[in-house]
Amino acid sequence: MPPLLKMIGKRLLSALVLLWGVTVVTFLLVNVVPGDAAAANLSQQAYDDPEIRAAFEAKWGLDQPIWVQYVRYLGNILQGDLGTSQQTHRPVAEDLGQYVPATIEIALPAMALAIVIAVGLGMLAAMRKNRPTDTGIRSAALVGLSTPPFWLALVALYVFFYLLGWVPNGGRLSNIYDPPPAVTGMYTVDAAIAGQWDVFGDALWHLVLPVGILTALTVSGLLRFVRSAMIEVLDAEYIRSAIAKGLPRRVITWRHVFRAGLLPVLTVSGLMLASLLGGAVLVEQVLSWPGLGQYAYKSAISLDLQAILGVTLFIAVVYTLINLLVDVLYSVIDPRIGAK
């Protein structure tokens, strides 16, 4: 078997074991955390009625021993059933199908822009190490890392919506438009498929603020790793030899430095993308963006156990798949890793 396929097979097997462990740990934590799901979802009058409370617990299986609840939960997962949400009264899988595309729609553009900006600025800072350009770029990154996401979202909303009026105040579409026919769940893509270009333009306009905020936050975290990786490569002996031989700076930068410094950056980028896909809770809350972060927040405050477990499992799957993708890309960029 080719080394790459063998590596993918091993990663998939370990991923299955990891996901099973996630279900065990998450289920136990959700059930031992202080709180009463009945109290969070029933009115005070209904909660005080023992019959109503018992009926609620029986409906959601809360009256069963914890090991019975877990076995039933795991069996449902294996059949593709993530349970029913107590707050929406819909299947959790259906809720995820509604909220996840909204998060993907802002996470992927933000990550793509952040990688382009961070790689460009990181390489510039590395090549001008300890000069004013490097100092300015590092200072800007430090300010970005020190800025709380919710504060940045509030300030951006105040400046660009309230003062300047350049962007809408949140949501995915203006009230005058209906959502396009659902294909992917991403309004810009679905509107383009349907040929509704006015809806496409409005959905794109609503992406500007959340994508801009997530890009700024992601660039700040990624920039430091890019700079460190590139400096390490620039100090390598073979790069000094290439410079001494008189190779053009452009050839050295893109053919040698960029590719060699890409591996550690790739790992950090994968983790940041998984974090974005897991839901930018505070940013989505401030901007009223109906994504996975907002769904997770509402599920947590209402002790919606099935929804919490579904969100956690989805995030675990995202991290696992992205780590697998990063491992594969590692082997493509540097075949020696795959051979090991």
Side-chain angles (χ1 to χ4, degrees):
M1 182 182 295
L4 181 59
L5 292 180
K6 185 182 296 185
M7 183 270 293
I8 293 176
K10 290 181 179 179
R11 294 291 191 277
L12 286 175
L13 183 59
S14 61
L16 291 176
V17 177
L18 175 63
L19 292 176
W20 172 75
V22 168
T23 64
V24 174
V25 173
T26 306
F27 191 86
L28 291 176
L29 289 177
V30 167
N31 280 274
V32 301
V33 71
D36 190 340
N41 288 274
L42 295 176
S43 65
Q44 186 62 45
Q45 183 178 0
Y47 182 77
D48 292 337
D49 189 324
E51 293 184 1
I52 296 178
R53 187 168 66 248
F56 177 88
E57 293 176 349
K59 177 182 178 181
W60 300 105
L62 302 177
D63 57 341
Q64 300 293 325
I66 188 171
W67 68 269
V68 174
Q69 296 182 43
Y70 175 74
V71 170
R72 181 183 301 173
Y73 169 68
L74 186 60
N76 290 337
I77 287 180
L78 295 177
Q79 298 175 28
D81 180 9
L82 298 179
T84 302
S85 169
Q86 297 169 10
Q87 58 173 322
T88 65
H89 301 286
R90 298 187 306 178
V92 173
E94 184 178 327
D95 285 342
L96 293 178
Q98 174 184 340
Y99 288 99
V100 169
T103 296
I104 293 176
E105 195 170 22
I106 59 175
L108 292 185
M111 194 68 229
L113 289 172
I115 290 175
V116 172
I117 296 172
V119 168
L121 292 179
M123 293 183 66
L124 178 62
M127 290 187 291
R128 301 183 181 277
K129 180 181 177 182
N130 296 329
R131 297 181 185 178
T133 302
D134 179 32
T135 303
I137 292 175
R138 283 189 294 154
S139 300
L142 182 60
V143 170
L145 285 172
S146 306
T147 304
F150 74 91
W151 184 86
L152 180 61
L154 287 171
V155 171
L157 187 63
Y158 176 76
V159 173
F160 295 106
F161 165 69
Y162 182 75
L163 294 182
L164 301 177
W166 289 354
V167 295
N169 64 339
R172 301 181 69 185
L173 275 179
S174 300
N175 293 332
I176 61 173
Y177 294 109
D178 293 325
V183 178
T184 65
M186 294 180 282
Y187 284 0
T188 50
V189 176
D190 292 348
I193 292 174
Q196 299 177 354
W197 299 110
D198 52 344
V199 178
F200 173 82
D202 188 74
L204 193 63
W205 184 42
H206 281 74
L207 287 178
V208 172
L209 192 58
V211 169
I213 293 171
L214 293 180
T215 299
L217 294 172
T218 307
V219 165
S220 301
L222 187 58
L223 184 56
R224 297 169 59 217
F225 291 96
V226 175
R227 177 184 177 275
S228 299
M230 296 303 171
I231 287 178
E232 184 177 350
V233 175
L234 286 170
D235 289 339
E237 194 66 35
Y238 72 94
I239 297 295
R240 295 179 182 177
S241 300
I243 295 174
K245 291 179 179 179
L247 286 178
R249 174 69 66 174
R250 176 177 55 84
V251 174
I252 295 174
T253 300
W254 294 108
R255 184 174 297 179
H256 301 289
V257 177
F258 177 75
R259 184 167 182 174
L262 192 61
L263 291 179
V265 175
L266 190 61
T267 303
V268 179
S269 299
L271 293 176
M272 288 185 172
L273 177 59
S275 177
L276 290 177
L277 292 176
V281 180
L282 297 177
V283 174
E284 291 185 1
Q285 279 294 113
V286 172
L287 300 180
S288 301
W289 189 265
L292 185 65
Q294 194 171 106
Y295 180 66
Y297 170 77
K298 292 179 179 178
S299 302
I301 62 175
S302 63
L303 286 179
D304 189 346
L305 303 183
Q306 296 298 322
I308 293 173
L309 291 171
V311 171
T312 305
L313 183 61
F314 172 79
I315 294 175
V317 170
V318 168
Y319 271 94
T320 302
L321 291 179
I322 288 182
N323 281 330
L324 176 61
L325 178 61
V326 168
D327 289 339
V328 173
L329 291 177
Y330 259 44
S331 300
V332 172
I333 295 173
D334 188 350
R336 294 173 299 176
I337 296 177
K340 294 179 182 179

